[in-house]
Every structure is written in C-alpha cells, then in structure tokens.
Amino acid sequence: MKIIEGNCSLCGEFKKLSFEHVPPAAAFNNSPIFIQGYEHLTDENSYLYGKKKKSNKGFGGYTLCESCNNNTGDWYARDFVEFAIQGMEIIKKKELQYDIKGTYTIKPLNVIKQILTMFMSADKSGHLQSQKDLVEFILNKESIGMPERYKVYLYSTLSPFKRMMGYSIVYDPKLGIQKWSEINFQPFGYFLTEESKPAHEHMCDISTFDSINYDKKLSVEISTAYLSVNSPEIGFYG
C-alpha cells in the first residue's frame, strides 16, 4: 500500500497522512464519489480540464496525520454524526420548505470543532493551519471560544452537487472582498468566514456553539434556510 506523507492540515507536522472523510463517513459519506477539483474546472489547457476523479473512500482526502485524525475522530466525530442524522430527519420531514426549523439534541462545542476540522482539511492554501489560535482551539478539546475573527454558518441542502472549498479570498459584487471557506454535503452546507459577511443573508450563525463546555449536551432550536447548490463556485446558490 502506498504511503502518503506531507504536512498535516491541522498540526502542521510532516508525517504519514491518513484519509480524512469530509464529513465523517457515518454522516452519509461512505460511498464512492466523483470529484472535480481546481485542476478539472479552471485550466482549459490541462489534460484534466472537464474531467473528474473517483474517490472510492468518499468525499475527503489525505490531509491529517494519524494522531490528529484519531483524536478529532474520538473527540468530535460521533457527535457531529448525530447532528447530521438529526438534520437529515428534519429536512426530509420539511421537504420543499425554504425555512427548515427543528429541535436538535446535540453537543454544540463538539459539533463546531468537527466542522472546523473539516475546514482545515479542505484548505489547501495553508492559511488556516497557520492560525495558531484556531489550531489550539481545535486540538484542545476543553477549550471554549474560537478566535473572534471567525464565524461559522449553516444552511440546509439536499443538492447532489458538492463543494469543498478551502480558504478563498473572493470578490462579491455586493459585499466586496471577502474571506470564505465552504463545504456542503447533505443535509447541510457549512460556511466559514474570516472578518467577512456570509455569502447569503439567511445562513444560520452557529458560532455561539463555541461557548458551551466540551461534551455538554443541549436541546437547541435551529432554523436554517434551504439553499440549492448547483455550481462549483463558492457562495453561489440556485
């Protein structure tokens, strides 16, 4: 078996990398999937342009060292999976509705730290990994209060088109220069901003999940807008 080495997208150390499912496999991400990345969508002179690659493991990549993958998996992943399963049940009961309201019984801090771990894996620029206070917030499971310059937003979607966009500096005609990251995989889309506005005014801000103690379970009312994803462009919805 081929060994893949590189810098871990979370701790930054050069190590053997393991496959990080984004989202975790049990959150409906356990089947082969076809992926189009930057090289398939942008460079018309590349032999890869217009093509796609198959990932038999599901959505994700070799991004985390075994230690970070195992730790975040043990600390956060199963609680995130419970959140995703509840989200799928709620969205299917409210199909064709724009405003998806539901009551979730979750561990908020665990959920938001798994979402941030996913964004670390999605980011190919290395910017997020270079933010030591953000890394510390994720790797110290007891830590509360993520850096204030970051906000995490949520929306609902059943769109088959997936996005896994790392840290991106983009120009939005209404908002100007923005710093965004985005991941979507049924039943949710996740949107990270750094000192920026969200791409859609009806996204649900779940940043306050960061203030709840580790492993504390709460009943939380969440209202998410249903947004259709039908293009690879970050922040655009049908």
Side-chain angles (χ1 to χ4, degrees), residues 153-157 182-191 229:
Y153 296 86
L154 190 72
Y155 60 89
S156 292
T157 189
E182 183 177 14
I183 298 167
N184 82 285
F185 200 102
Q186 301 176 3
F188 292 123
Y190 313 92
F191 205 87
V229 177

Side-chain angles (χ1 to χ4, degrees), residues 106-235:
I106 58 173
K107 297 177 180 179
L109 184 70
N110 304 31
V111 168
I112 200 169
K113 288 196 178 187
Q114 177 60 41
I115 293 171
L116 290 171
T117 299
M118 289 156 50
F119 278 120
M120 301 298 287
S121 287
D123 182 33
K124 306 301 182 185
S125 73
H127 173 79
L128 295 180
Q129 193 282 320
S130 72
Q131 307 302 296
K132 299 307 179 185
D133 51 354
L134 181 62
V135 172
E136 168 64 19
F137 173 68
I138 298 170
L139 288 180
N140 179 355
K141 67 179 182 179
E142 304 288 346
S143 176
I144 60 174
M146 66 180 173
E148 292 184 1
R149 62 188 178 278
Y150 293 103
K151 297 289 184 183
V152 178
Y153 296 86
L154 190 72
Y155 60 89
S156 292
T157 189
L158 291 176
S159 296
F161 204 108
K162 309 293 190 296
R163 289 180 186 152
M164 186 164 64
M165 308 297 292
Y167 183 82
S168 305
I169 300 176
V170 302
Y171 175 76
D172 181 89
K174 294 182 179 179
L175 302 174
I177 300 297
Q178 301 291 301
K179 301 172 185 177
W180 291 341
S181 302
E182 183 177 14
I183 298 167
N184 82 285
F185 200 102
Q186 301 176 3
F188 292 123
Y190 313 92
F191 205 87
L192 178 69
T193 66
E194 183 186 62
E195 298 176 332
S196 300
K197 300 289 185 181
H200 194 284
E201 62 181 346
H202 293 153
M203 287 181 175
C204 177
D205 186 350
I206 60 168
S207 304
T208 55
F209 281 14
D210 74 341
S211 63
I212 309 301
N213 288 336
Y214 175 71
D215 254 357
K216 184 172 182 179
K217 182 172 284 190
L218 297 176
S219 180
V220 181
E221 295 282 342
I222 300 177
S223 179
T224 53
Y226 185 94
L227 302 179
S228 294
V229 177
N230 51 26
S231 82
E233 295 183 73
I234 189 171

Side-chain angles (χ1 to χ4, degrees), residues 69-85:
N69 201 340
N70 291 337
N71 285 338
T72 57
D74 289 343
W75 297 337
Y76 315 132
R78 66 177 62 90
D79 301 304
F80 173 90
V81 168
E82 288 185 11
F83 174 59
I85 290 172

